[in-house]
Amino acid sequence: MSGTKTRLRAGLKEQGKAIAGARKPLALGHPVRWALIREIATHGALPVKELALRLGVDRPALSSHLPQLLECGIVDVFPDPGGDARRRCIGLAATAVCHQNGHGLEVDFGEMVVRFGEKEG
């Protein structure tokens, strides 16, 4: 009986990963989320307050976008490198791979690649 439960749990876990992967493109459907990905792909993990300032949004607005990105495995929460337990930093998920190509920045999430062209200006 326990073998059946184990297989069932494993199957549900894999199904959950597939659903989260399918939601990744939807999670990027808002300009703030798109800009957030570009910012942390370019500069690394940043505190929420600093990200909000860089993106020109308030912290509550930014915090409303984070659950979708966290749930899909696009971003992750990291402790503050300065040791401040009250601050949290947002960075790309560990599975993401960033690199520059001839056209700009690419972030590879495994089942999806996000490409950012060179910034104008």
Side-chain angles (χ1 to χ4, degrees), residues 24 73-74 92-97 108-111:
K24 281 184 182 177
I74 292 174
L92 290 176
T95 56
V97 178
D108 187 344
F109 292 101
E111 59 278 310

Side-chain angles (χ1 to χ4, degrees), residues 38 79 81 96 112 121:
R38 182 183 194 129
M112 176 181 75

Side-chain angles (χ1 to χ4, degrees), residues 1 16-18 29 31 34-35 42 71 79 84 89 94 106 109:
M1 190 68 106
K17 286 180 186 177
W34 192 256
T42 304
E71 181 182 320
D84 187 344
C89 293
E106 283 189 356
F109 292 101

Side-chain angles (χ1 to χ4, degrees), residues 88-113:
R88 60 185 182 142
C89 293
I90 305 299
L92 290 176
T95 56
V97 178
C98 298
H99 60 276
Q100 289 286 129
N101 65 20
H103 303 288
L105 178 68
E106 283 189 356
V107 184
D108 187 344
F109 292 101
E111 59 278 310
M112 176 181 75
V113 176

